[in-house]
Amino acid sequence: DFASGDMVCGDCGLVLGDRIIDTRSEWRTFADSEGDDPSRVGTVANPLLDGDQLDTMIGRGANDGGLSRGLNRIQGLTKEHQSDHALVLSYREITALCEAFELPKSIVDIAKQLYKKVADDNLQRGRNNNAVMAVCIFLACRQGEAPRTFKEVCAVTKVGIREISRTLKVLKGKLSADSGLTSSKDLIERFCSNLKLDNEVWRVSRMLNETAADLDNITGKNPMSIASACIFMASQLVGNARSTKVISEVSGIGESTIKATYKILYASRKELLTAEFMKHNPNVSESNLDAL
């Protein structure tokens, strides 16, 4: 019986020992007011923060004449607390930016880990912290196989593309992270989703993109313009056309660029719309294509 500190026989009730020490967790509340969920244990250690994290955090009491508020302010001035506070603020900003991209938690965690490496090596000194966070998110998207373009990262983080490029060149080698290259294949699925196109248009766009990669006159084109042109062509073939203006608003590529790339695809339509291609896509009709 831990409540009385006795060891009692369960069969006859004989007291076999007294003053037994309770080795179980001591679930009590030491707060000013008793709550419904008493707890004596703290949170798990956060690998993204420095130190052993065993220090006591002083809260701000309401009815102590401002004593706890003053102690809390003094604790906030300590060097270790300031370091963790800066990291926590950066992690919150990274989380908010990733939520704007609708990225999964796994990529958010990768971005935070990359930022922690930057902070540990003091690589952010003398650099725009917003640019550092943007680069960490950019690299995390690549590593998490959900790549975002420079333009998309710039639009959300409000950091110039030159600043991000310059910071990326410095941090990429230090972090041993491969930024890779954005392919039009990676962009098509997201663009089709944002345009609310069905799976058939997405499938046809992917097939056009795979075949177009072998065209000599398309080599060297911006992957975003290739993806946009393939979607424009596929939507016409299927009979669910989207205008270049609508596609431009989603992809961020100018209408004139999309039209110029599409004209190359249209001129090579015989190589793209092979008998095998038409066999796998019975709902496709070449007569739907616009020559522009």
Side-chain angles (χ1 to χ4, degrees), residues 56-102:
T56 300
M57 300 299 295
I58 302 175
R60 297 187 176 188
N63 301 313
D64 58 0
L67 177 61
S68 59
R69 183 179 294 273
L71 291 173
N72 176 269
R73 181 174 57 82
I74 294 172
Q75 185 185 40
L77 296 176
T78 62
K79 186 175 181 180
E80 291 184 0
H81 187 75
Q82 286 180 342
S83 175
D84 280 350
H85 183 64
L87 285 173
V88 169
L89 290 179
S90 296
Y91 293 153
R92 287 177 182 173
E93 183 66 18
I94 288 173
T95 301
L97 293 172
C98 289
E99 287 177 352
F101 275 127
E102 298 182 352

Side-chain angles (χ1 to χ4, degrees), residues 274-289:
T274 61
E276 186 70 16
F277 177 91
M278 302 300 287
K279 179 181 178 181
H280 285 88
N281 300 283
N283 296 327
V284 163
S285 176
E286 184 179 347
S287 60
N288 292 334
L289 291 178

Side-chain angles (χ1 to χ4, degrees), residues 188-240:
I188 285 176
E189 182 175 0
R190 189 164 75 255
F191 289 170
C192 285
S193 176
N194 293 337
L195 288 166
K196 295 181 173 54
L197 293 169
D198 54 31
N199 289 334
E200 186 174 17
V201 176
W202 170 71
R203 187 182 68 253
V204 173
S205 300
R206 289 283 298 270
M207 294 181 68
L208 288 173
N209 177 71
E210 291 173 1
T211 309
D214 297 328
L215 298 177
D216 294 333
N217 50 1
I218 208 74
T219 304
K221 290 287 184 180
N222 187 326
M224 295 177 67
S225 63
I226 296 175
S228 301
C230 286
I231 293 172
F232 178 63
M233 188 175 195
S235 65
Q236 292 185 74
L237 288 170
V238 175
N240 186 14

Side-chain angles (χ1 to χ4, degrees), residues 1 6-17:
D1 183 5
D6 297 331
M7 182 181 292
V8 183
C9 178
D11 294 329
C12 64
L14 177 65
V15 178
L16 302 176

